[in-house]
């Protein structure tokens, strides 16, 4: 008798594969994996080593959340083509899950960074920071748009990009630097939405890599023009040329109840030329 043809008890076979023997009993009952033989003396189930690869395939498919019905159908029609089809479907699902988890991790990291900023920030400080390039979804808006309408637009865009939840995106508003210099502090022209791990760049707004002037404003939006006045004065004094858009986003919405405590982060690209 060769090693490959030796019989194993159900307990031995289960231990070999790191599962409970009740799992093997269930697989037998539902016709998923029958024992190689039944001991005629005591009626116990017996398995052999040749069944190991079959059981491991079943366990793999179960780990991938393939239904019992799908596995049973595969076991009754085992072929390379059918297994490849099953695995292709699960790989596609796993890729989607991984992308979602990466997006969730990015969102959590952004929230944590915002909390770090809140705990260490100097609200009066204006400084230069380095930023990486970001791809933003933008939505054109009209002057004097209501907050409720902004939320509707952002919700529609996140749904279009299959995010599902606002919490999975970082969003804010944009105002042209030219409008700031002309004193038109209400000329917000776009909303932006930053979504982690976008699969495309075509049609998106590119927030360029480079130096940014960063400042903060706490309190009512009505007071933001005063803060912009301080920012522009700082730029003049430092000989800094600002360009493009000012990007505004709230960083403490999740931890406040009063609008007076609302903090807006303002970032404006610095012209490197």
């Amino acid at each position: 008798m060769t090693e490959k043809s030796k019989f194993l008890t159900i307990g031995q076979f289960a231990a070999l594969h790191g599962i409970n023997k009740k799992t093997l009993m269930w697989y037998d009952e539902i016709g998923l994996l029958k024992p190689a033989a039944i001991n005629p003396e005591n009626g116990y189930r017996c398995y052999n080593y040749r069944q190991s690869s079959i059981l491991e395939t079943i366990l793999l498919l179960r780990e991938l959340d393939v239904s019992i019905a799908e596995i049973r159908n595969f076991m009754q029609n085992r072929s390379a083509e059918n297994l490849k089809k099953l695995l292709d479907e699960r790989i596609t699902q796993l890729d989607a899950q991984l992308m979602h988890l990466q997006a969730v991790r990015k969102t959590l990291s952004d929230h944590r960074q915002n909390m770090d900023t809140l705990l260490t920030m100097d609200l009066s400080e204006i400084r230069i920071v380095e930023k990486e390039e970001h791809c933003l979804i933008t939505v054109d808006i009209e002057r004097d748009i209501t907050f409720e309408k902004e939320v509707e637009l952002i919700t529609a865009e996140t749904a279009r990009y299959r995010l599902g939840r606002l919490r999975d995106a970082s969003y804010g508003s944009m105002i042209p630097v030219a409008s700031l210099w002309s004193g038109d502090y209400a000329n917000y022209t776009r909303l932006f939405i930053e979504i982690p791990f976008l699969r495309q760049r075509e049609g998106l707004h590119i927030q360029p890599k480079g130096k940014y002037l960063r400042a903060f404003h706490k309190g009512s939006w009505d007071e933001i023009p005063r803060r912009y006045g301080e920012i522009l004065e700082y730029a003049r004094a430092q000989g800094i040329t600002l360009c493009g858009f000012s990007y505004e986003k709230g960083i403490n919405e999740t931890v406040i109840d009063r609008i007076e405590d609302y903090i807006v982060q303002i970032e404006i690209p610095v012209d490197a030329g």
Side-chain angles (χ1 to χ4, degrees):
M1 181 180 289
T2 66
E3 185 69 21
K4 286 288 185 180
S5 63
K6 284 183 179 179
F7 285 125
L8 302 172
T9 67
I10 189 171
Q12 291 172 325
F13 195 59
L16 180 65
H17 294 277
I19 61 174
N20 192 296
K21 66 181 182 180
K22 289 184 179 180
T23 300
L24 289 174
M25 295 170 66
W26 181 52
Y27 285 171
D28 180 14
E29 292 170 4
I30 64 176
L32 205 55
L33 179 65
K34 293 291 186 181
I38 301 294
N39 189 316
E41 297 179 1
N42 53 27
Y44 290 171
R45 298 170 174 87
C46 299
Y47 297 82
N48 62 36
Y49 287 103
R50 296 181 185 278
Q51 293 178 287
S52 287
S53 61
I54 298 173
L55 176 58
E56 284 298 326
T57 300
I58 293 172
L59 294 176
L60 171 63
L61 295 176
R62 288 298 293 148
E63 189 174 344
L64 295 174
D65 289 330
V66 179
S67 69
I68 291 295
E70 289 179 285
I71 297 175
R72 184 187 291 114
N73 181 63
F74 167 70
M75 295 302 295
Q76 294 171 352
N77 301 277
R78 278 194 297 155
S79 68
E81 181 181 358
N82 287 338
L83 182 57
K84 180 181 181 301
K85 181 180 178 182
L86 268 180
L87 296 179
D88 283 345
E89 291 173 354
R90 287 322 181 270
I91 287 172
T92 298
Q93 291 178 7
L94 282 174
D95 286 343
Q97 291 170 7
L98 286 172
M99 180 166 288
H100 173 69
L101 288 174
Q102 288 175 323
V104 169
R105 190 186 189 287
K106 175 67 166 56
T107 299
L108 292 177
S109 295
D110 288 345
H111 283 317
R112 183 179 63 183
Q113 183 177 353
N114 287 342
M115 296 307 104
D116 285 341
T117 300
L118 287 172
L119 293 170
T120 59
M121 70 193 308
D122 177 354
L123 282 172
S124 65
E125 182 181 41
I126 300 173
R127 65 191 182 99
I128 303 297
V129 298
E130 290 281 346
K131 284 180 63 72
E132 294 298 317
E133 178 184 282
H134 292 277
C135 296
L136 306 177
I137 300 165
T138 59
V139 184
D140 291 338
I141 57 174
E142 297 179 358
R143 187 185 289 264
D144 299 326
I145 186 173
T146 64
F147 177 74
E148 291 76 15
K149 184 60 177 177
E150 287 185 358
V151 173
E152 289 177 7
L153 290 172
I154 290 171
T155 302
E157 287 300 300
T158 53
R160 189 161 74 89
Y161 282 85
R162 300 180 181 178
L163 266 181
R165 294 181 177 91
L166 285 178
R167 69 169 184 239
D168 292 331
S170 175
Y171 51 92
S173 55
M174 299 165 57
I175 181 170
V177 169
S179 296
L180 298 178
W181 284 117
S182 67
D184 189 357
Y185 299 115
N187 189 31
Y188 291 92
T189 59
R190 301 179 189 178
L191 302 176
F192 72 81
I193 308 165
E194 181 183 350
I195 298 178
F197 308 108
L198 281 169
R199 298 181 181 181
Q200 65 181 61
R201 291 171 59 95
E202 185 178 352
L204 299 180
H205 172 84
I206 304 301
Q207 187 181 18
K209 174 182 178 179
K211 289 181 168 32
Y212 281 70
L213 188 152
R214 176 184 289 171
F216 298 95
H217 168 71
K218 181 178 180 180
S220 169
W221 282 286
D222 294 338
E223 294 298 317
I224 285 184
R226 177 185 58 79
R227 187 56 168 157
Y228 271 123
E230 297 170 352
I231 291 170
L232 297 179
E233 182 57 36
Y234 176 89
R236 288 192 192 96
Q238 299 296 319
I240 295 172
T241 301
L242 303 177
C243 60
F245 291 86
S246 173
Y247 301 87
E248 297 179 12
K249 69 175 181 179
I251 63 170
N252 67 336
E253 296 168 306
T254 57
V255 294
I256 62 167
D257 294 316
R258 305 184 313 152
I259 190 62
E260 292 83 3
D261 297 321
Y262 189 78
I263 297 176
V264 175
Q265 176 179 278
I266 299 169
E267 294 181 332
I268 310 175
V270 173
D271 191 344

